[in-house]
Amino acid sequence: MGVSEIFRLEVGGDRLATLTFYLPGKKLNVFTRAALAELEERIDELGRRRDIGCLILLSGKDGGFIAGADVEEIARVADPLEAEAGARLGQRLFAAWEALPFPTVAAIRGVCVGGGTELSLASTWRVASDRKDTKIGLPEVRLGILPAWGGSNRLPRLIGIPEALEMILTGRNLSGRRALKVGLIDALIPDARFLDHVRDFALDKRDMPRKEGSGGVDLKELLLEKNPLGRKILFDQARKKTLEQTRGHYPAPLRAIEVVRIGLEDGRKAGFDAEARALADLATAQTSKNLVHVFGLQEGAKRAKGVPGGEAREVRRAAVLGAGVMGGGIAQIIAQEAGIPVRMKDLNDEALVSGMAHASGLFDRLVKKRRLESAEARRRMALLLPSLDYSGFGGADLVVEAIVEKMDVKQDAFAELARHVPETAVLASNTSSLSVAGIGAKTPNPGRVVGMHFFNPVHKMPLVEVIATDVSDPAAVNTVFDFTRRLGKIPVLVKDAPGFLVNRLLMFYSIEAYWLLHEGHRIEDLDTAMLDWGMPVGPLALGDDVGLDVAIKVAHILGEAFADRLPLPPWLNKMTESGRLGVKNGSGFYRYDGKERKGPDPSAYEVLGVRPRVENPDPNALAERMVLPMVNEAARCLEEGVVRSAAELDLAMIFATGFPPFRGGLCRWADHEGLPRLVATLERLEVAAGERFRPSDALRATAEAGGFYARFGGG
């Protein structure tokens, strides 16, 4: 037998065989067309052999097991019949794998997702390495599709309906330990001498068929699931929860629930047919195309570089100036993800205690969610070193400032900070709206001052704006850019300009909501319109969440910077003047019980001097009126070079504001809607509502060029 290019088969004298998957030219194994074709040949050959007592499926890649289907194939497919044929091909192959005349063992090390998980489900046994990066999952819903190579049918039979639906509907991965607990794998094996342990496991299983019911389903769950009424309750609850979370914008989870139900109630054949038909509908729909586009943006971000002209420096020690919620959150994420010592300085003990308590609470939450062992959480918490002075700053490679948002205070802090850190230390500001060049104006060697804008809450928000000034040292910028990625965050390089990128665009959206309120629209109508459009929170509730004092301060900064097109409502300051700060003091546009939002506050209208009078507004018209100012300003940002590409702008808006992923991003949505139509709508709004809607020259030029992606590229 010749050596296979992708799948290598070896059979030993002990009747133990290994099939090693190694796809050339890819970091991880994926099921390309060539890989599937060769796997079909291998399975056909294996089915005829009589010298194998047990077969181990291995990955030849150090980074993981199998990362599923080739996403480029999913992006390309446009014909529902082709998508259905692809599903049936995978089903046929994995059914043939399942029917081999000897037991099979899927030996999982590292990432195992999508089609990789589905092939492991078709194996007789599954074992996994205990290394930290072992993750097993079915993330298809994140691409707008569902597991269609048998996974939607095999998984609930193996681990039960509740656990299976949790995996399929959320797309979340399970750690090795969690996978063992739910019965997804049969053994968790030490990574040291992994292959030896796998061989021992496989030798023990030679010629041994798997017994029915030897999965991980609990007896109580089994009784519930075999009871038609119990099953109905489970599926009804899943539908209700899914609709609450998605507001019907994501069809794949709802379709997956139905496919799982059909498979369990009507049998595997009906279930496989339902999978294939569902994939045909979902994979060719716009939602899936947009979600695959967003996946591509994320993959592109992993390869993105900072600026040319300087190498990033290693960060071995860090420090944080300011121990508030942001400072404590930044210090905690550095200790958690980078695992390096972090000095945290503030002016008084009370602030330090608060910052340490915030960090400790975040670690406790990770332990509670089983994402971190208790001992490891304690070890990483011990990396946080509170201080009232600059002791320890002399060894810092990077300092992140997170103090009050006042230019003079920040300038003085950076000038003083520079006297206590090495000349090579990079000084980063977490400012959300102030000029980074201005902040570093009094700092010796201002080239090492860079913006590093985290979004609140730090532990949840994936994006960080890395802000380069005209005088920033490329090595300093790239140090921050690379360190951001080390923290598990997505860095987007932006220019030092008012509001940078995200807050600049978001402010045009928020201020338009305020103008609609001024015209007599109700608080709940405005927020509901945007929730229904797909935003995670409405613009008025967002102001309450951020803090109205902060939001209004930024509004004034940007209103001054863009006075020609960002006029502010006359009543804007009345909210804070009346003591309304939002969630932080329980009073804003909404009423609060603690931090729980209870409903719009009728007295807010009286404070502002506006009267809600518009009945039954068109929610689509409201949403478009709030979104279009962002589109108009996005063209300006790209033309000015505030951000490098339409792709990076979309990435930033999705992962910093929650712009609906199913729409693909602000620029992609605008391109799909058609810029000529949006320009015409802005022209009508200019007549009806004011000059602020005048289409920018940048937007007109972008429309003439064929759209954002045609003109500014990046995806």
Side-chain angles (χ1 to χ4, degrees):
M1 182 191 71
V3 176
S4 165
E5 184 183 354
I6 300 174
F7 289 92
R8 186 178 70 251
L9 177 66
E10 295 177 316
V11 183
D14 53 6
R15 301 181 64 247
L16 200 62
T18 58
L19 185 68
T20 304
F21 185 2
Y22 183 90
L23 184 68
K26 295 277 189 179
K27 184 178 179 182
L28 293 173
N29 289 321
V30 293
F31 285 118
T32 60
R33 291 187 177 201
L36 289 170
E38 189 172 315
L39 179 60
E40 187 167 27
E41 293 175 7
R42 281 285 158 266
I43 293 173
D44 185 56
E45 175 193 342
L46 287 165
R48 297 192 301 270
R49 298 191 66 133
R50 295 294 176 264
D51 58 341
I52 298 175
C54 187
L55 174 69
I56 303 169
L57 178 63
L58 295 170
S59 167
K61 307 274 185 178
D62 290 334
F65 183 61
I66 305 171
D70 188 348
V71 176
E72 291 177 11
E73 292 287 338
I74 301 170
R76 183 193 59 77
V77 68
D79 182 353
L81 292 177
E82 184 183 355
E84 182 173 343
R88 294 192 187 279
L89 169 63
Q91 291 173 355
R92 187 177 73 248
L93 285 180
F94 291 2
W97 176 267
E98 189 176 40
L100 286 171
F102 43 77
T104 53
V105 179
I108 300 165
R109 291 181 80 219
V111 175
C112 172
V113 293
T117 299
E118 291 185 281
L119 181 54
S120 74
L121 289 169
S123 301
T124 319
W125 309 91
R126 289 153 297 282
V127 299
S129 160
D130 67 354
R131 70 189 219 185
K132 289 181 180 179
D133 65 345
T134 292
K135 302 290 179 189
I136 307 173
L138 292 168
E140 283 85 350
V141 292
R142 297 185 180 185
L143 299 177
I145 56 175
L146 82 178
W149 285 349
S152 297
N153 280 271
R154 290 190 178 95
L155 186 64
R157 284 182 166 82
L158 180 67
I159 67 173
I161 296 172
E163 292 288 357
L165 288 179
E166 172 69 16
M167 282 186 70
I168 293 169
L169 301 184
T170 65
R172 293 193 196 107
N173 297 329
L174 301 188
S175 66
R177 181 167 296 185
R178 180 65 183 163
L180 180 66
K181 184 172 182 179
V182 303
L184 180 55
I185 60 174
D186 300 289
L188 191 62
I189 291 176
D191 196 60
R193 299 179 59 239
F194 178 71
L195 290 179
D196 291 338
H197 290 299
V198 172
R199 285 182 62 84
D200 289 343
F201 181 94
L203 284 169
D204 190 50
K205 305 300 181 187
R206 271 183 309 187
D207 304 312
M208 183 191 299
R210 189 182 186 99
K211 295 178 182 177
E212 285 297 320
S214 55
V217 183
D218 179 83
L219 178 61
K220 181 180 174 184
E221 288 179 355
L222 202 61
L223 290 172
L224 177 65
E225 293 168 30
K226 291 212 168 182
N227 178 323
L229 179 59
R231 277 200 309 270
K232 184 177 185 305
I233 291 170
L234 287 174
F235 288 124
D236 286 349
Q237 287 176 336
R239 283 189 200 93
K240 181 181 177 184
K241 183 178 178 182
T242 299
L243 280 169
E244 286 174 356
Q245 293 174 338
T246 68
R247 299 179 82 90
H249 289 303
Y250 296 85
L254 291 170
R255 195 69 181 267
I257 294 168
E258 184 63 10
V259 168
V260 170
R261 185 194 65 77
I262 289 171
L264 289 172
E265 294 184 354
D266 299 340
R268 280 177 37 140
K269 183 180 185 306
F272 289 160
D273 286 344
E275 282 184 357
R277 289 193 303 271
L279 188 72
D281 294 339
L282 295 169
T284 54
Q286 189 62 40
T287 296
S288 177
K289 298 308 180 194
N290 285 341
L291 292 174
V292 169
H293 170 74
V294 173
F295 175 82
L297 296 182
Q298 292 175 272
E299 292 301 298
K302 293 175 184 177
R303 300 185 296 270
K305 304 292 184 185
V307 295
E311 290 295 317
R313 295 192 282 268
E314 185 180 358
V315 177
R316 294 177 297 271
R317 293 176 180 274
V320 175
L321 202 60
V325 171
M326 287 299 289
I330 293 167
Q332 187 271 339
I333 202 77
I334 293 173
Q336 176 192 326
E337 297 294 337
I340 59 174
V342 192
R343 287 275 172 179
M344 185 165 60
K345 178 188 180 302
D346 213 304
L347 298 175
N348 57 68
D349 287 325
E350 187 179 338
L352 287 174
V353 169
S354 175
M356 293 294 284
H358 181 60
S360 178
L362 293 172
F363 277 119
D364 288 345
R365 197 176 306 173
L366 289 170
V367 172
K368 198 171 291 184
K369 290 183 176 180
R370 301 189 187 93
R371 289 181 53 197
L372 207 60
E373 293 294 318
S374 181
E376 183 65 14
R378 288 195 299 272
R379 189 186 76 77
R380 294 195 180 241
M381 184 67 197
L383 293 169
L384 299 181
L385 308 167
S387 176
L388 292 171
D389 56 32
Y390 286 100
S391 59
F393 275 63
D397 301 303
L398 171 69
V399 182
V400 183
E401 166 271 315
I403 61 175
V404 63
E405 193 79 344
K406 291 184 178 178
M407 179 61 81
D408 57 342
V409 176
K410 287 183 186 285
Q411 285 179 335
D412 292 345
F414 269 72
E416 183 182 6
L417 175 63
R419 295 197 294 270
H420 298 279
V421 297
E423 289 184 5
T424 55
V426 176
L427 309 182
S429 175
N430 181 50
T431 180
S432 61
S433 59
L434 300 177
S435 163
V436 175
I439 290 169
K442 295 181 180 178
T443 306
N445 184 13
R448 60 175 168 162
V449 177
V450 179
M452 190 179 190
H453 178 209
F454 290 84
F455 291 83
N456 195 27
V458 173
H459 66 286
K460 285 185 178 179
M461 302 303 285
L463 194 98
V464 173
E465 289 180 313
V466 178
I467 302 130
T469 74
D470 290 339
V471 300
S472 288
D473 175 6
V477 175
N478 293 337
T479 298
V480 172
F481 195 89
D482 283 14
F483 190 68
T484 297
R485 194 176 278 139
R486 188 174 164 192
L487 299 182
K489 303 292 186 184
I490 299 170
V492 169
L493 185 69
V494 299
K495 186 178 174 182
D496 187 20
F500 313 127
L501 174 66
V502 172
N503 281 347
R504 174 171 167 178
L505 295 181
L506 204 56
M507 190 53 65
F508 279 81
Y509 162 76
S510 297
I511 293 301
E512 194 52 40
Y514 293 170
W515 278 114
L516 285 163
L517 188 67
H518 183 77
E519 291 175 15
H521 288 275
R522 287 174 170 76
I523 293 167
E524 63 269 31
D525 287 344
L526 297 174
D527 279 353
T528 300
M530 292 316 305
L531 287 171
D532 289 345
W533 199 79
M535 293 295 278
V537 64
L540 302 178
L542 178 64
D544 278 3
D545 289 345
V546 169
L548 290 172
D549 50 342
V550 174
I552 290 169
K553 182 177 181 180
V554 175
H556 281 293
I557 292 171
L558 297 187
E560 186 176 329
F562 307 117
D564 61 323
R565 58 186 185 274
L566 192 63
L568 307 180
W571 45 257
L572 191 62
N573 292 339
K574 291 183 180 179
M575 291 296 280
T576 50
E577 287 171 357
S578 66
R580 291 169 181 265
L581 303 180
V583 176
K584 66 176 73 175
N585 75 342
S587 177
F589 289 110
Y590 288 84
R591 294 175 290 106
Y592 295 89
D593 181 3
K595 290 191 175 182
E596 185 182 354
R597 192 172 288 127
K598 287 298 184 182
D601 187 345
S603 65
Y605 299 113
E606 297 172 23
V607 169
L608 303 180
V610 300
R611 183 170 63 86
R613 58 184 182 276
V614 179
E615 301 293 338
N616 302 315
D618 178 355
N620 291 325
L622 289 179
E624 194 160 82
R625 182 164 156 182
M626 287 182 268
V627 172
L628 283 183
M630 289 197 290
V631 174
N632 207 9
E633 200 63 22
R636 290 188 178 101
C637 287
L638 285 159
E639 196 170 75
E640 293 167 14
V642 172
V643 64
R644 293 182 289 193
S645 68
E648 287 179 295
L649 189 150
D650 280 350
L651 188 79
M653 292 303 289
I654 290 168
F655 290 102
T657 74
F659 189 93
F662 72 89
R663 297 190 185 276
L666 181 66
C667 294
R668 184 172 168 93
W669 171 79
D671 281 354
H672 186 257
E673 290 294 307
L675 291 194
R677 182 187 79 79
L678 299 186
V679 167
T681 303
L682 283 165
E683 288 172 339
R684 287 195 298 273
L685 286 169
E686 181 186 0
V687 173
E691 290 186 5
R692 64 185 181 276
F693 282 102
R694 180 176 298 155
S696 64
D697 291 342
L699 185 63
R700 291 185 188 277
T702 305
E704 290 172 8
F708 280 104
Y709 277 84
R711 186 182 181 198
F712 297 108

